[in-house]
Amino acid sequence: MDSGVKNEITVAGIAASQGIAYGQIFVYLQSDVEVPGYQVEPEKRIDEVARFDRALVVTRQQISKIKNEVEKNIGPEEAGIFDAHLMVLEDEALIGETIREFEATGSNIETCFHKISSRYVQAFSEIDDEYLRERAGDLRDVAQRVLQNLLGQAENALSRLADQRIVVAGEITPSESATLDRSAALALVMDSGSKTSHAVIVARSMKIPAVVGMRNLTQRVTNGDWAIVDGYDGVVILNPSESTLFRYGQIQERKKSFEARLLESNRQPAVTLDGHRVTLMANIEKAEEVVKAKAFAADGIGLYRTEFLFLNSARFPTEQEQFVAYKSVAEAMAPLPVIIRTLDLGGDKLMAGRSDLFPKETNPFMGFRAIRFCLENQDIFKEQLRAILMASVHGKVKLMYPMISGSEELARANVILAECRADLRARGVPFDEALEIGIMIEIPSAATTADLLAKDCSFFSIGTNDLIQYLLAIDRVNDRIAHLYEPTHPAVLRTLRHVVDEAHRCNLPVSVCGEMAGDPVYAPLLLGLGVDSLSLSPAWLPSVKYIVRNMTMADARALAAEAMTLTSPKEIYARCDAFFRSRVHME
Ligand code: PEP
Ligand code: MG
């Protein structure tokens, strides 16, 4: 490393996921990142075309290699999709138009290729034919790869890091973070983002540090730079000196021994010192994650974010494919419960290449999202509902609707569910007749009308990630206002208390499945407010269980009661932090 040559620089951002990482940086180039534009001198134009040809050849080799691997490891059918990718590279129109654009403008070949390929992607995604629309996704993927090759970044795509790397990106979308190479990412650092942006949820689930809101770090670093990412204080230290490395090395050692103690005590039940058993469930995004949920002794799956089956594909998974995924989770967790949440597409979770279904919106988080999308796309919704119903005989499945804003919406969803039940019944397909239906409470109007909603469902799960953004009018992925996103705002506490009280009045259990539940600093507050169970990223179960086992419920209730009398979010946070620190000792 060359830290002796370059000066140490500390850059501050927002601490989003705890931990310390040290390693080399990979700067992630996004699909919609601005491709550098410049003029190519006339005498270098032949070389520029040759450069383009080479990038196409390299791309072809890479795709053929992936195709062979998929064929060997998964099967010929799945490998077949890469034939479509290879065909894109043979496309006379795309290649020819790029060259013509280059000859006409003299702009660098990346700029020309980006312009032409984007035009094609747009045209394909607007065609009223499903097969051709899917080609838009293929085209986008291949174009991205060609651009990465032209820009010399091919071996370090987000899903295939060349080695252990700190990923520095402008922004990472949910579909991109779903493909993150989990074996090699040491830390995530983003110019934008906030604590509940999906990439951070992924970082927390991996227990790797994340620092967001770095503004323009991507422009200040290059691939291979060495850095420390401090996810506790929210700083990135570029070219750390020997003494800084020594200091952080000590912190890492202490953390390692604390983690070992956490894992040790995770074998014990989640019982407070005054004998209250707390239910701790797991949030998952993919069926494979049940393995982690079980390894960390979750009491069930409190949130299965099914939309991740749909992202990164221009095609909707079939009813059968969905059934297989839901069934595998239900069976793996049985007899413990699995709460399957219906599609929460929209907002920042968009399906690649389906701009026909998700047109660009000015305020996507306030827009065509989740249940709103499902109620308008009933065929898609019904396929999912039937798949969940069919999986319900393979374990203890519960169904949950996201983004419910009021009773009428819940009633409409339930009518569609009743139609699906009738359909299966008529066909003699078995399902659990007693399937419990719950809703996410994540829109203020749902919280306010909790008493009405409680009449038509069996449980509530509070999605604090969204509830806080809507209550405080703070876009959860906007780094400029991320410091105003305060889970301990009195409005949040009052809303939580109101929902808990209304639910309990109707004998409904309430869970919290937002990121607050997986933070051991907030968990006592939530339990003290009367929340019955918490659902969190599996990797955080040991930490939350640790605090549960080292506190009394009486103290947690006193903490919540005191917090309810305070006006300052920072002061309330300080009380929660002091509660946590006085019960946990890292040494
Ligand atoms: C939430 O909003 O708190 C939640 C759990 O849902 P998501 O993060 O998937 O929007
Ligand atoms: Mg939500």
Side-chain angles (χ1 to χ4, degrees):
M1 68 172 272
D2 55 1
S3 61
V5 181
K6 295 183 184 172
N7 286 337
E8 178 177 299
I9 306 168
T10 301
V11 189
I14 301 163
S17 174
Q18 294 182 351
I20 307 284
Y22 170 59
Q24 280 181 293
I25 284 176
F26 158 56
V27 187
Y28 174 55
L29 172 84
Q30 277 147 304
S31 44
D32 56 356
V33 98
E34 247 185 84
V35 172
Y38 52 88
Q39 284 294 305
V40 179
E41 291 160 26
E43 63 273 20
K44 294 201 175 139
R45 294 202 174 159
I46 294 182
D47 294 347
E48 190 73 349
V49 174
R51 199 163 71 81
F52 184 42
D53 284 340
R54 273 199 306 279
L56 293 174
V57 170
V58 171
T59 308
R60 197 169 297 129
Q61 287 166 346
Q62 288 166 347
I63 296 175
S64 300
K65 190 166 161 231
I66 299 173
K67 184 184 164 209
N68 290 342
E69 278 173 24
V70 170
E71 188 156 5
K72 207 167 64 206
N73 299 327
I74 309 177
E77 205 176 311
E78 288 75 7
I81 47 172
F82 294 102
D83 287 330
H85 287 207
L86 288 167
M87 268 159 63
V88 170
L89 293 167
E90 311 285 339
D91 191 301
E92 283 300 326
L94 173 67
I95 314 280
E97 268 193 59
T98 302
I99 305 274
R100 280 195 291 283
E101 173 78 15
F102 171 63
E103 284 164 350
T105 63
S107 298
N108 60 320
I109 202 79
E110 289 92 340
T111 301
C112 301
F113 181 70
H114 190 225
K115 181 174 168 192
I116 304 296
S117 59
S118 303
R119 193 192 296 154
Y120 271 70
V121 169
Q122 186 62 27
F124 272 106
S125 56
E126 283 166 3
I127 293 176
D128 201 20
D129 173 292
E130 192 173 347
Y131 174 79
L132 289 175
R133 257 197 326 265
E134 281 178 22
R135 300 286 74 78
D138 295 335
L139 191 54
R140 184 185 292 104
D141 271 16
V142 177
Q144 165 87 352
R145 201 174 265 280
V146 172
L147 279 175
Q148 284 174 330
N149 282 320
L150 282 168
L151 294 165
Q153 300 205 355
E155 285 313 306
N156 250 341
L158 205 54
S159 56
R160 268 175 170 247
L161 297 172
D163 205 341
Q164 304 264 294
R165 289 284 186 270
I166 291 168
V167 176
V168 178
E171 184 199 347
I172 301 177
T173 65
S175 58
E176 287 167 329
S177 51
T179 68
L180 180 68
D181 182 350
R182 293 181 177 228
S183 62
L186 293 173
L188 289 189
V189 180
M190 292 195 291
D191 285 348
S192 63
S194 70
K195 285 184 184 177
T196 56
S197 47
H198 187 262
V200 170
I201 296 178
V202 169
R204 280 180 49 83
S205 77
M206 293 166 67
K207 274 223 154 176
I208 60 170
V211 179
V212 299
M214 301 296 288
R215 299 285 158 88
N216 63 352
L217 189 71
T218 40
Q219 285 155 36
R220 298 174 64 179
V221 294
T222 47
N223 283 329
D225 282 355
W226 288 84
I228 288 173
V229 178
D230 176 348
Y232 295 103
D233 288 340
V235 293
V236 174
I237 304 167
L238 303 172
N239 317 308
S241 67
E242 290 300 324
S243 67
T244 305
L245 283 174
F246 180 72
R247 185 161 55 83
Y248 274 98
Q250 284 189 320
I251 299 174
Q252 256 177 322
E253 279 309 309
R254 284 217 306 276
K255 178 155 165 22
K256 254 192 233 155
S257 77
F258 182 61
E259 286 286 328
R261 275 174 46 209
L262 284 183
L263 281 180
E264 188 61 35
S265 69
N266 197 46
R267 297 203 195 119
Q268 313 293 326
V271 179
T272 61
L273 294 171
D274 50 354
H276 290 262
R277 172 75 166 88
V278 176
T279 302
L280 298 179
M281 316 240 277
N283 292 353
I284 61 166
E285 290 173 359
K286 295 179 186 160
E288 309 88 83
E289 288 175 87
V290 276
V291 176
K292 227 171 160 192
K294 289 183 81 162
F296 286 111
D299 292 320
I301 303 297
L303 170 64
Y304 179 3
R305 289 182 164 104
T306 55
E307 55 276 7
F308 285 86
L309 260 175
F310 293 66
L311 296 176
N312 293 313
S313 165
R315 168 180 89 71
F316 282 91
T318 62
E319 190 171 318
Q320 182 63 19
E321 284 168 336
Q322 292 187 59
F323 165 68
V324 168
Y326 306 153
K327 172 176 174 259
S328 73
V329 176
E331 277 178 347
M333 293 307 295
L336 298 171
V338 173
I339 300 178
I340 304 181
R341 181 176 77 179
T342 60
L343 271 180
D344 184 10
L345 285 171
D348 60 345
K349 291 182 263 196
L350 303 174
M351 276 179 81
R354 295 310 303 259
S355 52
D356 56 321
L357 284 174
F358 299 100
K360 217 169 170 44
E361 295 178 288
T362 316
N363 286 313
F365 275 109
M366 305 268 238
F368 192 48
R369 195 188 154 185
I371 198 74
R372 300 168 184 180
F373 169 84
C374 288
L375 292 176
E376 281 199 25
N377 288 280
Q378 294 197 11
D379 291 347
I380 296 169
F381 192 31
K382 281 184 174 171
E383 283 193 350
Q384 177 170 48
L385 293 176
R386 283 193 300 263
I388 297 173
L389 284 166
M390 290 190 301
S392 67
V393 289
H394 295 277
K396 180 81 193 114
V397 170
K398 301 183 189 195
L399 186 148
M400 178 161 74
Y401 304 123
M403 295 283 292
I404 290 287
S405 63
S407 287
E408 274 194 353
E409 209 165 30
L410 173 57
R412 283 183 64 201
N414 276 338
V415 165
I416 298 171
L417 179 65
E419 285 170 21
C420 293
R421 286 176 191 257
D423 173 23
L424 293 185
R425 232 177 262 127
R427 288 195 276 133
V429 179
F431 64 90
D432 177 6
E433 290 281 355
L435 179 84
E436 281 182 39
I437 311 300
I439 61 168
M440 298 272 302
I441 301 282
E442 50 186 347
I443 298 185
S445 58
T448 319
T449 55
D451 56 327
L452 304 178
L453 290 164
K455 295 194 177 88
D456 291 319
C457 66
S458 317
F459 62 90
F460 287 161
S461 188
I462 304 177
T464 47
N465 301 342
D466 279 313
L467 184 61
I468 296 170
Q469 82 162 341
Y470 295 130
L471 261 180
L472 306 183
I474 303 296
D475 182 343
R476 74 190 247 194
V477 295
N478 183 341
D479 58 296
R480 289 208 164 253
I481 44 166
H483 60 288
L484 300 173
Y485 186 97
E486 289 178 306
T488 47
H489 193 291
V492 176
L493 269 52
R494 287 177 190 207
T495 306
L496 292 173
R497 174 52 59 84
H498 174 75
V499 173
V500 167
D501 288 349
E502 292 303 324
H504 288 172
R505 215 191 305 282
C506 300
N507 292 321
L508 249 61
V510 194
S511 174
V512 171
C513 62
E515 289 304 290
M516 256 183 114
D519 188 328
V521 173
Y522 296 130
L525 175 69
L526 296 175
L527 295 169
L529 285 168
V531 166
D532 302 294
S533 62
L534 302 174
S535 189
L536 47 137
S537 175
W540 284 87
L541 284 164
S543 308
V544 172
K545 191 182 276 186
Y546 185 95
I547 184 70
V548 165
R549 288 181 52 78
N550 284 279
M551 68 174 209
T552 63
M553 192 59 91
D555 284 348
R557 288 187 184 130
L559 170 72
E562 189 194 8
M564 290 292 288
T565 67
L566 301 173
T567 49
S568 154
K570 299 213 166 26
E571 202 179 335
I572 299 173
Y573 180 82
R575 300 294 161 97
C576 294
D577 196 43
F579 184 98
F580 170 74
R581 282 175 196 275
S582 64
R583 285 159 180 85
V584 173
H585 310 283
M586 261 188 66
E587 247 59 56

